[in-house]
Amino acid sequence: MKKLARNKLLVFATAIVVLQLLVAALAPLVAPYDPVAQNVLARLRGPSTGYWLGTDQFGRDVLSRVIHGARTSLAVSVAAVAAALVMGGALGLLAAYYRGWLERIVMRVMDVLFAFPVLLLAIGVVAVLGPRASSAAIAIAIVYTPIFARLLRGPALVICESDYVVAARAIGAADWRIIFVHILPNLMSVVLVQTSLLLSAAILVEASLSFLGLGTQPPTPSLGLMLSEGRNFLMISPWSAVFAGAAILLLAFGLNLLGDVLRDTLDPRLRGSP
Amino acid sequence: MILRLVFARVVDLVFVLFCVSVIVFLMIRLIPGDAVAIMLGANTEITPERMAELRARVGLDKPIVVQYAHWIGPALTGDFGRSLWTGRPVIDEIVVHVWPTVQLTFLALLLGAGLAVPAGCLMARLRGRFADVAMRIVTVIGLTVPNFWLGIVMILMLATLAPTIQALGYVPFAQDPAGHVGRLMLPAAALALPILAHLSRLLRSAMLDELQQDYIRTARAKGIAESAVVYVHALRNALIPFVTSVGILTGYLLGGAIVIEQVFAIPGLGRLILGAISERNYPLLQATILLVTSGFVTVNFIVDLLYMAIDPRVRA
């Protein structure tokens, strides 16, 4: 019974995430209006049949901007987390496999990067690269690399000690073969869970950076930017800010719930842990 | 034995702080464009002689190791140079802006951790299929709600429900103690929600683990009241992972505070950092990032020591 509830939750979370990915991928087809087209005669309107979520200060359709903004958010976050997974994963795996001085140096460097508060390091990186969507992506990738390295090194160490890896070594399998054929597939559940959770967190970091004016720049639709622009018209027409924030919440919520439920389903050892 | 452990942690701390300072130092050197040209600004004519003169004055013509030494040496005594625009010592600007952020962070931590204890205990008592699913969804929402959006929604609701209450801005404590705390409450609450969600969930699972331990069975067998078993015996041990999390969450809070300050118009470090970025005031930016990170590292160091103090197993 309990298992069934869990699977229902898994279906629910997967449905939210897949739906959002589809809407973001098909944004130009799904959005009712051009997200940057202005209609000065219909500024700061509330939700209506013509504009489902109302319009912003330039008379742009909020729904279309939310859809395209979600697309931008996801594009930046997915690219950043993918890069962090490849870099951090590679470092963590190599550290676990080769041990010795390589492991010590790699993990030391990761520790130092880990010492910075996430958002502060991201802000610092953007300050160096200049405020741009690509800088935000690079910043998130740098911030999450040590997290992936740490998360994957632990389980990789356990697998490296296992009998089948020792056996593979004994029959003379090449290092790359052991890493790709024997170790990596066994890390897939950890990778899947953590990617989902960190993607959820990356959505929030991207939104924060854009909100501060350090990420995606206008007029490109961005959820964080919509929030900061909408803030100036809060008392006249809060729709743009309210719906943009709700969209950020929905994106982050779906991914976090998915990672959370996957963790329970894929890794029985972690069941019940936060 | 303990002394040796503490000493090892201190060596670790110094090493990490050193590396952090090197990264912060190099970070600014990586900025494209010449800092000197930026410093000269648009109002002066940029001639090669002027550039060379200023370079020599700021020490940019020296080898990078010497530059680092010239920067970190005075920095250790609190001298981070002068702000490029106002000409005031950087440290003075930071001191003015650091308090609102520290107070906000501390208040949010207090709120989040304080409420998480009763919430976590309550959640541990509610068990069953429906309760599990409901609590999971509620805590995941709490974890993923963008705190700056929550802040905006709170302002909007307050403006609608109680238009007379002033929620924005910052009043120094000395000027108006009640107004000071009152205005920090909303931003602190917005900042605290994800922490509350995280910690109460952590506490719940730790409590459920502890309640299955043998010592709990023994306590019950001795005839100790159930409430004492739960709140004294189990809670005490369940709080151990809780304490470790508090250190890590400080980093989240410091970052979150930077954003939430913008929502509530609080003149804290967030405003200072964003101002420094848009003005390209690099000495100020460098010093702020270095000091905030050092503060975060130090908090974690203290938490580590606390952890050793409350959990004897770590000392073994």
Side-chain angles (χ1 to χ4, degrees):
Chain A
M1 207 60 201
K2 212 168 173 180
K3 207 163 187 177
L4 196 69
R6 224 172 239 134
N7 288 341
K8 265 187 198 159
L9 212 52
L10 184 63
V11 172
F12 174 63
T14 313
I16 297 181
V17 172
V18 169
L19 193 68
Q20 288 176 335
L21 286 174
L22 271 179
V23 169
L26 302 174
L29 301 174
V30 182
Y33 295 89
D34 178 349
V36 290
Q38 304 184 2
N39 179 0
V40 280
L41 293 176
R43 293 187 314 174
L44 299 170
R45 294 263 175 91
S48 64
T49 45
Y51 300 101
W52 287 7
L53 302 184
T55 58
D56 71 359
Q57 71 275 21
F58 297 117
R60 298 176 296 196
D61 179 44
V62 171
L63 176 61
S64 304
R65 289 185 68 73
V66 163
I67 292 173
H68 280 271
R71 181 186 167 98
T72 318
S73 269
L74 275 170
V76 170
S77 308
V78 168
V81 171
L85 173 63
V86 171
M87 289 190 296
L91 290 172
L93 263 179
L94 291 178
Y97 189 77
Y98 289 107
R99 309 295 305 264
W101 59 269
L102 182 78
E103 182 184 35
R104 277 205 295 279
I105 293 176
V106 166
M107 294 327 280
R108 259 319 196 188
V109 173
M110 296 297 116
D111 280 351
V112 171
L113 282 179
F114 218 67
F116 289 89
V118 167
L119 201 57
L120 194 69
L121 182 57
I123 288 175
V125 173
V126 174
V128 172
L129 299 175
R132 237 173 267 119
S134 57
S135 313
I138 295 173
I140 297 172
I142 292 178
V143 169
Y144 284 169
T145 295
I147 302 185
F148 271 119
R150 274 195 178 183
L151 283 171
L152 290 180
R153 179 179 151 265
L157 277 174
V158 178
I159 296 173
C160 287
E161 299 292 313
S162 63
D163 290 344
Y164 60 85
V165 171
V166 176
R169 267 199 184 136
I171 59 167
D175 285 353
W176 64 267
R177 191 184 155 80
I178 297 177
I179 291 177
F180 282 101
V181 178
H182 299 288
I183 300 177
L184 208 53
N186 286 296
L187 286 172
M188 280 331 274
S189 59
V190 186
V191 168
L192 209 58
V193 170
Q194 296 303 336
T195 305
S196 185
L197 290 176
L198 283 174
L199 208 48
S200 157
I203 296 274
L204 293 174
V205 175
E206 192 277 334
S208 301
L209 289 173
S210 294
F211 178 76
L212 295 175
L214 300 174
T216 311
Q217 298 297 313
T220 309
S222 144
L223 297 174
L225 211 54
M226 282 177 78
L227 251 172
S228 81
E229 286 173 356
R231 201 163 43 121
N232 303 323
F233 304 93
L234 211 52
M235 297 306 150
I236 316 167
S237 172
W239 306 111
S240 175
V242 168
F243 287 125
I248 300 170
L249 171 59
L250 204 61
L251 280 175
F253 170 79
L255 287 163
N256 197 300
L257 188 67
L258 182 64
D260 205 49
V261 182
L262 275 177
R263 174 165 51 191
D264 280 9
T265 322
L266 295 177
D267 194 349
R269 280 165 303 168
L270 289 170
R271 190 157 293 163
S273 71
Chain B
M1 185 64 210
I2 292 182
L3 268 179
R4 248 179 59 195
L5 267 175
V6 172
F7 180 72
R9 292 289 157 97
V10 172
V11 172
D12 256 17
L13 174 75
V14 172
F15 175 76
V16 169
L17 285 178
F18 167 72
C19 293
V20 164
S21 76
V22 170
I23 290 179
V24 172
F25 174 78
L26 291 178
M27 206 181 227
I28 305 298
R29 288 285 169 284
L30 287 175
I31 289 177
D34 196 322
V36 173
I38 295 160
M39 275 169 77
L40 279 172
N43 46 3
T44 40
E45 203 187 329
I46 301 174
T47 61
E49 294 80 48
R50 275 207 142 147
M51 295 264 289
E53 185 205 315
L54 194 62
R55 282 179 155 270
R57 208 173 77 207
V58 212
L60 281 173
D61 54 345
K62 307 232 166 48
I64 196 131
V65 179
V66 178
Q67 286 185 39
Y68 172 77
H70 279 230
W71 175 67
I72 199 70
L76 289 173
T77 64
D79 176 9
F80 289 94
R82 287 176 181 277
S83 166
L84 289 187
W85 307 111
T86 59
R88 289 177 58 198
V90 161
I91 192 72
D92 289 0
E93 305 232 9
I94 294 176
V95 166
V96 174
H97 288 86
V98 79
W99 287 117
T101 304
V102 168
Q103 284 169 316
L104 191 58
T105 305
F106 186 70
L107 199 61
L109 193 59
L110 214 62
L111 266 178
L115 292 176
V117 174
C121 290
L122 186 74
M123 280 163 60
R125 294 180 67 174
L126 297 172
R127 300 201 61 185
R129 192 158 61 93
F130 178 73
D132 280 352
V133 172
M135 272 183 288
R136 179 185 295 245
I137 289 182
V138 170
T139 47
V140 171
I141 289 178
L143 278 175
T144 51
V145 71
N147 48 28
F148 44 104
W149 178 65
L150 193 63
I152 289 174
V153 172
M154 282 174 167
I155 293 173
L156 198 62
M157 280 167 70
L158 194 72
T160 322
L161 300 174
T164 49
I165 297 177
Q166 174 58 262
L168 299 182
Y170 177 80
V171 204
F173 184 77
Q175 198 180 316
D176 172 12
H180 170 82
V181 178
R183 286 192 199 191
L184 282 179
M185 279 316 274
L186 273 191
L191 205 50
L193 187 72
I195 292 204
L196 174 60
H198 179 88
L199 287 177
S200 55
R201 224 176 126 169
L202 187 75
L203 189 63
R204 173 180 193 251
S205 61
M207 282 288 270
L208 293 179
D209 274 358
E210 291 301 330
L211 285 172
Q212 286 173 359
Q213 302 291 320
D214 289 344
Y215 73 90
I216 293 290
R217 204 184 48 203
T218 312
R220 283 192 177 132
K222 280 200 300 188
I224 294 175
E226 182 62 21
S227 63
V229 171
V230 174
Y231 296 111
V232 180
H233 291 76
L235 183 60
R236 238 186 94 131
N237 285 307
L239 281 176
I240 291 175
F242 191 93
V243 172
T244 337
S245 287
V246 165
I248 296 159
L249 289 175
T250 315
Y252 157 79
L253 281 173
L254 285 169
I258 292 173
V259 186
I260 216 95
E261 280 170 10
Q262 302 307 306
V263 177
F264 286 88
I266 295 169
L269 289 177
R271 180 176 290 183
L272 196 68
I273 290 176
L274 292 174
I277 290 177
S278 66
E279 289 173 345
R280 297 171 169 246
N281 196 341
Y282 299 127
L284 184 59
L285 187 64
Q286 244 176 347
T288 315
I289 294 183
L290 179 65
L291 284 179
V292 173
T293 305
S294 306
F296 173 49
V297 172
T298 313
V299 166
N300 272 305
F301 168 73
I302 295 170
V303 168
D304 257 11
L305 291 188
L306 270 179
Y307 191 52
M308 281 202 262
I310 57 174
D311 190 351
R313 280 170 297 185
V314 188
R315 280 179 249 152

